[in-house]
Amino acid sequence: MVFQALVIDKDDAGYRAGLQDVTESRLPDGDVMVEVDWSTLNYKDALAITGSSPVVRSFPMVPGIDFAGTVVDSSHPAWAPGDQVVLNGWGVGEKHWGGLAQRARVHGDWLVRLPGGFTPRQAMAIGTAGYTAMLCVMALEKHGLTPGDGEVLVTGANGGVGSTAIALLAQRGHTVVASTGRVTEAEHLHALGAHAVIDRAELSSPGKPLGKERWVGVVDAVGSHTLANACATTRYGGAVAACGLAGGMDFPATVAPFILRGITLYGIDSVMAPQALRQQAWNNLEQGLDLVKLEAITTEISLVETPTYAEKLLAGQIRGRVVVRLRNDA
Ligand code: NDP
């Protein structure tokens, strides 16, 4: 069978991503074949497609760190043809061909059943960004964050992780402050549930080891000085969930917030997260995400448009999430 895939090649002719017709025999090993209905464009996919960061470990590679689809063939005991599934991470789209293709062959242990409350499109509107936002919220709440405690900061607010984190936190009753470089989008961020909006410039320059205590919790998708300043302004005993590096991979901080204010820094990883945690995150998303808000942050594109949108995403021109339609009748 021949199907369409976005393929990244790197050879003497350079690094390039383009649409190709691919035969099933070229798919990597795996015990489950999935017809992909929807995929998404995450920050990591944009890095892979544009080649701006060494995300792809072998070539040729089909990018796409997540997908939602329907099992068409399986020798794995948990999955049968017709099952609707979701995949996030596990190195898919980095070292194992990924979701930006009409077919994917993967290991059954990597799959999660599509939560009954979501269509495949909605699951991908959430995607790895939204599922990571939920992992951040779960880490903060496990730490003890309770509605009414005070302000919770979300950085990279107009991005996929940030937008979803705002909607999730607000839905759960938390008071959210959104930090963004696009304050012109304040109205949209308020509609998602943000109580207040601040300019990200307040957090992005080198700061003091400790600042005025403000946040009871933080979801940080930005890293670098933003993360350091967020830690320095977190209230005594509060917690910061760090999941991203949109502003840089460095962490130019001091130990002061940790040893003088007892704050906790949680590292959030979605790629290798254990199945039980994933399942819990997806269950929580099913119960705690307003689907009207989800649709408001979703842009739909076709596979052929993904390279253009990858450039836009890295240029900070995308608001929220991008879903990629793989099947014309999906
Ligand atoms: P998006 O591109 O959708 O959003 C990133 C947002 O960060 C932008 O919209 C922008 O928000 C802000 N931003 C961009 N550049 C800068 C900058 N130079 N300085 C400060 N802020 C900036 O990406 P995602 O939301 O999908 O991902 C966010 C981060 O989280 C990425 O680094 C990604 O790799 C990471 N991630 C990590 C995961 C994990 O498992 N740990 C899983 C998923 C994502 P605004 O315009 O509002 O300022």
Side-chain angles (χ1 to χ4, degrees):
M1 176 184 175
V2 176
F3 59 92
Q4 284 203 313
L6 187 71
V7 180
I8 301 175
D9 282 300
K10 187 184 177 193
D11 51 29
D12 292 346
Y15 191 105
R16 61 204 179 279
L19 223 56
Q20 292 183 17
D21 287 332
V22 172
T23 52
E24 246 177 40
S25 59
R26 286 185 67 196
L27 285 170
D29 285 349
D31 47 15
V32 182
M33 179 75 84
V34 179
E35 182 173 31
V36 179
D37 299 324
W38 295 90
S39 186
T40 82
L41 201 54
N42 291 281
Y43 191 84
K44 198 184 262 179
D45 301 321
L47 293 176
I49 291 167
T50 57
S52 352
S53 193
V55 167
V56 176
R57 318 282 178 80
S58 64
F59 298 90
M61 177 58 59
V62 172
I65 63 169
D66 48 16
F67 62 74
T70 309
V71 173
V72 289
D73 192 19
S74 169
S75 58
H76 187 283
W79 306 109
D83 286 345
Q84 290 195 296
V85 292
V86 174
L87 182 139
N88 300 100
W90 298 115
V92 169
E94 301 178 58
K95 46 191 180 185
H96 186 104
W97 281 21
L100 288 170
Q102 291 173 315
R103 293 251 158 158
R105 192 190 282 133
V106 296
H107 297 291
D109 291 347
W110 295 345
L111 296 167
V112 169
R113 203 165 292 280
L114 176 76
F118 297 133
T119 63
R121 185 181 184 278
Q122 287 166 334
M124 282 301 100
I126 295 165
T128 299
Y131 141 69
T132 302
M134 179 50 92
L135 291 178
C136 292
V137 172
M138 286 163 64
L140 295 181
E141 290 188 342
K142 193 170 172 200
H143 182 82
L145 182 74
T146 308
D149 281 354
E151 293 177 313
V152 182
L153 173 68
V154 175
T155 67
N158 272 298
V161 172
S163 302
T164 322
I166 293 168
L168 288 171
L169 286 162
Q171 184 96 359
R172 296 159 96 87
H174 298 288
T175 305
V176 183
V177 176
S179 166
T180 180
R182 291 177 267 177
V183 280
T184 46
E185 297 285 357
E187 199 178 317
H188 164 74
L189 296 172
H190 284 303
L192 282 181
H195 166 77
V197 176
I198 62 170
D199 192 320
R200 77 183 187 201
E202 287 185 33
L203 294 163
S204 60
S205 301
K208 295 182 184 155
L210 288 174
K212 188 165 181 287
E213 294 179 53
R214 181 162 181 190
W215 322 114
V216 286
V218 178
V219 173
D220 178 59
V222 172
S224 192
H225 292 296
T226 300
L227 176 58
N229 288 326
C231 291
T233 49
T234 293
R235 273 165 44 179
Y236 193 94
V240 176
C243 72
L245 43 62
M249 204 195 241
D250 57 333
F251 181 38
T254 77
V255 295
F258 307 101
I259 64 172
L260 298 177
R261 291 189 182 154
I263 79 146
T264 302
L265 179 58
Y266 290 100
I268 305 298
D269 170 58
S270 66
V271 179
M272 302 304 290
Q275 278 292 8
L277 187 63
R278 288 167 189 261
Q279 201 60 64
Q280 185 63 56
W282 277 103
N283 290 348
N284 290 352
L285 283 160
E286 202 178 356
Q287 285 150 27
L289 185 59
D290 181 333
L291 295 178
V292 175
K293 286 182 181 172
L294 181 67
E295 188 55 31
I297 60 166
T298 304
T299 303
E300 180 182 319
I301 65 169
S302 62
L303 191 56
V304 71
E305 294 175 284
T306 48
T308 307
Y309 273 78
E311 300 276 359
K312 286 188 185 189
L313 190 134
L314 292 183
Q317 292 166 1
I318 303 286
R319 193 175 79 178
R321 301 278 301 132
V322 176
V323 289
V324 184
R325 175 190 284 274
L326 271 308
R327 244 179 57 184
N328 290 335
D329 58 344

